[in-house]
Structure formats: structure tokens, C-alpha cells
Amino acid sequence: MTNVGSVTALPIVDISADSASLRSALREAAHRVGFFYLTGHGVPDDLVAALLDVARRLFALPQADKDAIAMVRSPHFRGYTRLGGELTRGEVDWREQIDIGPERPPIGGPGKPEYLWLQGPNQWPAALPELPAIVAEWDVALSQVARTLLQHWAESLGSPADVFEAAFAEEPATLIKVVRYPRRAASAQGVGAHKDSGVLTLLLAEPGSRGLQVRRRDRWVDVPAVDGAFIVNIGELLELATGGYLRATEHRVNLGGATRERISVPYFFNPRLDAQIPVLSLPPELAGRAAPLHDPADPIYAVYGRNAWKSRLRAHPDVAARHGYAGAGQPGRLP
């Protein structure tokens, strides 16, 4: 059994620092830990407050209102998921949430890759007409932060600043989850241990909240919320793009001993569904320290949509079964 460490600070990176200092800090934090606190990002406090406020009102709606936009109704894996309605590695996660992506027309269909079904319209609760505009503003603000981070990582690794830009041009497949973890849960597993399947995640954790844990070697360490800071982590595709130099780190949400409910909003910055992430040529002194960590039996696909589709089928087998997707009913297997 692994040990759970006491509160252990992650690296803190100030995005407003001078370029040389920022690049060094980003490279080392993502190489050594894969997680860090990000400050100086410039996202307005009033936007953060508005998002948290509308999130609380969303989860306070009558259950029937939330079920009216249930994800199982959407062939695009968009909408609301009840407590206990999602799986990680085949085990039930204890949280409720709404999944929101870019508001675009469907492009999936016969003869096309199934992952194209991940594009399509969202489902919005009728009682909160202001929610789409707040989410759209959030998307614009965090997309700017994420693009800045990727540019500085690229330069810190000896590549042009715009090396990732083509993959994110036109229609990036970002994903926003608005999540509530209850104070009293049927399981300690808020979210089971996993690595993110995309490129980059920026997490807004409600001030004063706890539960997120990151695996450091042979133990889990607590990652409490820090006022004014995002918690940032690397996804599997950025690990792949850097030959394992930047690390996608396993993490989970542990609800054991929770004393209050909490809201969190992870923002997953991902490229176009059909985009292939470039693999960087690292300088020799960095390449020698790279160590790919993924499991060959469970491959990471360079085309983002394939990676995302694998993850969605496993997490939501009910949606996959409802819409007749390959691999439905087999959440633990690679489709």
C-alpha cells in the first residue's frame, strides 16, 4: 500500500516572470513533477467568481432539470452526469458534473473515424441561460494562458515557439468540466488514479478545497487549492511530443475525510480531433534525460481524437452503448 503524504507544495511558476526565468521554471516543473501551481496568469477575479457562482447554482437545480441534459442523450459525450455515473479504470467515480466542448455542428457519420463524434452541440440547462456566455468567456481566457505555456515550453526545449500551433489552429477540441464533489460520498474515489489523455490541463479548484492528490514516486501527496493560482498538469500527448522529457503524472481525487463539498473546473486544452502532435527534437543534454513512461499495452495515439475516444468510451460506457459505438460495454478494453 502506498503512503499518503502530508500537504506538499508543488512548484510555483509565475507566468508573468521574464521569459528566460519562466522557460526554465516551466521546463523543470513539468520534467520533474508534471504538476505545478501557476500564478500571474491575469484571468480576472470577477470571471473566476462568476464561474464558481453559476456552478453552484447549476448543481443546486432540481435533479429533474439536470437529468434533462443527461450525457447519455448526447452522441457527442456532452451534458450532465449524475453522482456515480462515470468510471475510471472500471471503478465508479463519486462526483456530478457537466461536460462542455466547443459549440460546433456535428461532423461524425458513416465511413468516418468514430472520434469525430466528439464534435457537436452542447446541452445547456434551461434554468441558467447565462451559463453559455460565462463558459465561452472562460474558454477564451484559459486558451490564451494555455497557448502561452505551450510556446514557452517549445522554446525551452529548443524548438520554435509556434511548433504546436498548427495542431491547435482553427478548431481545437477543448473540454471543460464543471464538477461538484459531495461532502458525504458513497465512495472515497472522487476520481480514480489516472493520467490526462490530452495535452495540457488547467484546474480551477475552489478556494479552501482539498482532495486532489498526485503520485510522487511511491506515495500520494495532497495538492490543496491555492487562492489565485491554477493547478496545471501535463497530459499524455505532451509527454509523447517530448519523448517523455515532460511527464504526464498520475493523479486522483480522494474524498476520504472530506468535510465540505467542493467545486472544481478542469480545462483541458487539446488540439483538433484529427491533428497529430509533432514530436520534438530535443537538444542532446535534454534528450538523455527523457524517459517515456506510457504502457506499450495501452498506447498513446499521436492523433488526439483517437486518444480522446479511447478515454471517453472507458469513462462513459452507457453513452457508448446508447449510441452504438464500437467497444461499448467494455470500459476496460482498448476499442
Side-chain angles (χ1 to χ4, degrees):
M1 179 180 295
T2 58
N3 297 321
V4 176
S6 58
V7 174
T8 302
L10 297 180
I12 299 174
V13 176
D14 182 355
I15 198 173
S16 66
D18 67 88
S19 294
S21 298
L22 174 59
R23 289 169 193 159
S24 176
L26 285 173
R27 184 180 63 238
E28 288 307 298
H31 171 65
R32 296 182 181 279
V33 185
F35 267 81
F36 58 91
Y37 292 110
L38 184 70
T39 62
H41 46 72
V43 176
D45 290 343
D46 59 352
L47 178 56
V48 173
L51 182 62
L52 291 174
D53 174 69
V54 77
R56 294 185 191 102
R57 289 186 286 121
L58 166 68
F59 294 119
L61 291 174
Q63 190 64 48
D65 288 11
K66 294 183 285 189
D67 288 341
I69 58 166
M71 182 186 285
V72 73
R73 301 171 181 267
S74 168
H76 316 294
F77 292 85
R78 307 285 180 84
Y80 171 76
T81 301
R82 275 182 174 233
L83 288 168
E86 186 176 27
L87 303 177
T88 299
R89 295 182 177 175
E91 300 295 328
V92 173
D93 295 329
W94 204 250
R95 61 180 182 174
E96 62 175 330
Q97 63 190 9
I98 184 172
D99 284 57
I100 303 166
E103 195 69 52
R104 298 180 185 134
I107 56 174
K112 298 180 179 180
E114 277 199 310
Y115 64 72
L116 293 180
W117 280 111
L118 294 174
Q119 177 170 312
N122 292 297
Q123 298 190 86
W124 301 103
L128 292 174
E130 66 275 34
L131 180 59
I134 294 172
V135 169
E137 189 175 355
W138 190 253
D139 182 32
V140 170
L142 268 67
S143 173
Q144 182 176 345
V145 174
R147 288 178 186 275
T148 299
L149 291 174
L150 285 179
Q151 289 167 1
H152 283 291
W153 263 313
E155 289 195 283
S156 77
L157 297 172
S159 293
D162 64 354
V163 68
F164 294 115
E165 189 58 34
F168 289 87
E170 298 175 9
E171 295 186 338
T174 53
L175 175 66
I176 299 171
K177 287 179 177 280
V178 183
V179 183
R180 183 186 77 91
Y181 295 99
R183 181 167 68 91
R184 292 187 176 88
S187 167
Q189 179 171 306
V191 177
H194 68 286
K195 298 178 181 181
D196 291 348
S197 63
V199 171
L200 176 63
T201 306
L202 289 85
L203 173 68
L204 171 65
E206 190 171 21
S209 64
R210 308 175 68 88
L212 176 63
Q213 295 180 328
V214 173
R215 187 185 290 279
R216 297 294 308 275
R217 302 180 180 88
D218 63 344
R219 65 190 183 120
W220 292 99
V221 297
D222 295 321
V223 182
V226 171
D227 290 359
F230 288 109
I231 300 169
V232 180
N233 69 281
I234 301 305
E236 291 177 326
L237 283 188
L238 198 52
E239 180 180 276
L240 183 70
T242 63
Y245 184 82
L246 302 185
R247 306 287 178 84
T249 304
E250 198 172 39
H251 52 287
R252 69 183 186 184
V253 173
N254 183 4
L255 299 180
T259 59
R260 51 169 286 187
E261 71 172 32
R262 73 180 184 98
I263 303 294
S264 72
V265 186
Y267 176 86
F268 302 95
F269 189 60
N270 300 314
R272 293 189 326 276
L273 290 171
D274 64 351
Q276 182 160 325
I277 294 296
V279 177
L280 307 186
S281 295
L282 301 183
E285 65 273 17
L286 301 182
R289 297 165 59 195
L293 302 176
H294 58 272
D295 181 355
D298 188 8
I300 301 171
Y301 298 114
V303 174
Y304 168 65
R306 294 187 68 194
N307 226 35
W309 188 250
K310 174 184 70 172
S311 175
R312 296 305 253 175
L313 292 184
R314 290 175 171 178
H316 298 281
D318 57 336
V319 179
R322 170 75 173 268
H323 298 284
Y325 295 140
Q330 302 178 51
R333 293 181 58 187
L334 180 66

